[in-house]
Amino acid sequence: MHSPASSTLYFLCSALLFHAFLTTAIDPLHAKCSISKNYTSNDAFGDNLPQMMSLLATKAAPIGFALGSVGHGDGRVNGLALCRGDVRSSACTSCILSAGARIRDLCPRNKEAVVWYDECMVRYSDAAFFGDADYDQSFPLSNPRNTFNTRNVSDPKALDGKVALLLERLKNKAYISPLMFAKQELEIGDQSRNLYGLAQCTKDISGGDCKKCLEAAINKLRRCCRGQRGARVVGGSCNMRYELYAFLDDA
C-alpha cells in the first residue's frame, strides 16, 4: 500500500509531466539558434545541456528566475530561465523543462539558443552572458485581431494614447522593482473596458539596463503595432505586453 506522502509525490510528478506535455505540444512564440557555434555528438557540451535545463527548472521554481553553469572548459553550458512574473511555481518548472526539451529539437548541435513560450523563456550559451543586457534577441508579436475590425474599441487613435501611457507606467514600475516585474490595468473609457499590461526584466541586469531594454521594447511596439488590440515584445533581457483582456494569472 502506498503511503500518503508517496501518493502526493506521484500526483505532483504526474501533474508536472502532463503540463510539460501540453506545453511541448504547443509551438513556442519564437526561437533563435546560433548558426556560428556548434558542438558534435560526442562533445561534453551536449551531455551538460540537459543537466543545465534540470538545474534551471529546480532553481527557478521558488522565484521565477534562475542562472546556472554546468561543466568546464569547452563543455561549459551557461543557462538562464525566466518565468512570467504571475505564474505558479509548478507551471514555471514544467514550462522550463518543456522549453529545454523543445529548444534542443529546434536548435540541434547549437551552442547558443533562446526560446520563448507564453509562460517562460530559456536561454543558454557557451559564452558567459550573465549581467549583460541583450538588446539584439527580441521580436514583436501583435494580436491578429486588429482594433479597426472589431466593435470593442470605438476610437483606435485614442487607444494608442492609452497604450503609450500604460507602457510608460509599466516601464517606470518594473525597472525599480526588486522583482523586475510590473503589471497594471488602465481604464480606457470605452464601454467600461480595461487595458492590461506587463513589463519584466531578467534579474541579472541592473535597473538602468532594465529601463533601457524596456524603452527599446516600447519603441518596437510603436513601430509595429499601432492600432492593434494587443501586442508584445519578447527578448533576451526583457518582455513587455498589453492586451484588451485579462491575460495574467491572478489566482
Side-chain angles (χ1 to χ4, degrees):
M1 180 178 294
H2 295 295
S3 68
S6 63
S7 298
T8 301
L9 180 60
Y10 174 80
F11 176 78
L12 178 60
C13 291
S14 297
L16 285 174
L17 287 172
F18 180 68
H19 188 279
F21 170 78
L22 291 178
T23 306
T24 305
I26 301 172
D27 288 335
L29 296 172
H30 192 61
K32 187 172 181 180
C33 314
S34 168
I35 59 174
S36 60
K37 297 181 178 182
N38 297 294
Y39 62 90
T40 61
S41 57
N42 59 352
D43 197 320
F45 190 95
D47 294 332
N48 292 330
L49 191 53
Q51 296 181 46
M52 166 55 60
M53 298 305 169
S54 296
L55 175 65
L56 292 177
T58 301
K59 291 178 64 177
I63 60 172
F65 176 74
L67 299 172
S69 299
V70 175
H72 305 279
D74 293 338
R76 186 178 182 87
V77 183
N78 303 294
L80 177 153
L82 176 69
C83 290
R84 207 176 68 201
D86 63 303
V87 303
R88 299 174 184 270
S89 59
S90 58
C92 177
T93 299
S94 57
C95 185
I96 293 171
L97 290 174
S98 299
R102 186 69 174 132
I103 199 171
R104 296 198 298 277
D105 291 335
L106 295 172
C107 307
R109 308 281 187 251
N110 294 123
K111 279 195 168 185
E112 188 172 89
V114 57
V115 63
W116 294 270
Y117 278 91
D118 188 50
E119 294 183 333
C120 70
M121 179 265 287
V122 171
R123 179 184 176 192
Y124 72 84
S125 176
D126 63 326
F129 61 87
F130 304 151
D132 295 331
D134 178 7
Y135 302 108
D136 299 323
Q137 298 185 113
S138 67
F139 82 104
L141 180 66
S142 65
N143 189 317
R145 296 177 61 191
N146 190 293
T147 59
F148 289 99
N149 298 322
T150 70
R151 297 179 181 179
N152 295 318
V153 179
S154 60
D155 188 349
K157 291 185 178 180
L159 176 64
D160 282 342
K162 294 291 187 178
V163 168
L165 177 61
L166 177 67
L167 297 182
E168 191 69 17
R169 289 181 177 178
L170 286 167
K171 178 199 72 177
N172 289 335
K173 288 175 64 175
Y175 87 86
I176 62 173
S177 166
L179 298 177
M180 294 284 191
F181 174 74
K183 61 180 181 177
Q184 189 164 345
E185 300 177 27
L186 182 65
E187 188 173 327
I188 60 176
D190 194 325
Q191 303 175 12
S192 300
R193 293 179 63 83
N194 286 343
L195 193 62
Y196 302 86
L198 74 78
Q200 186 173 18
C201 295
T202 58
K203 296 177 185 177
D204 61 317
I205 64 174
S206 68
D209 283 339
C210 176
K211 182 180 181 181
K212 292 177 183 177
C213 189
L214 293 174
E215 286 172 345
I218 290 173
N219 288 333
K220 279 198 173 185
L221 287 172
R222 285 172 179 163
R223 291 195 299 269
C224 80
C225 307
R226 288 186 181 276
Q228 296 291 324
R229 61 180 289 119
R232 71 176 91 191
V233 168
V234 297
S237 291
C238 69
N239 305 305
M240 184 166 268
R241 182 181 180 186
Y242 73 90
E243 299 285 356
L244 279 171
Y245 66 91
F247 62 92
L248 294 166
D249 184 3
D250 294 319

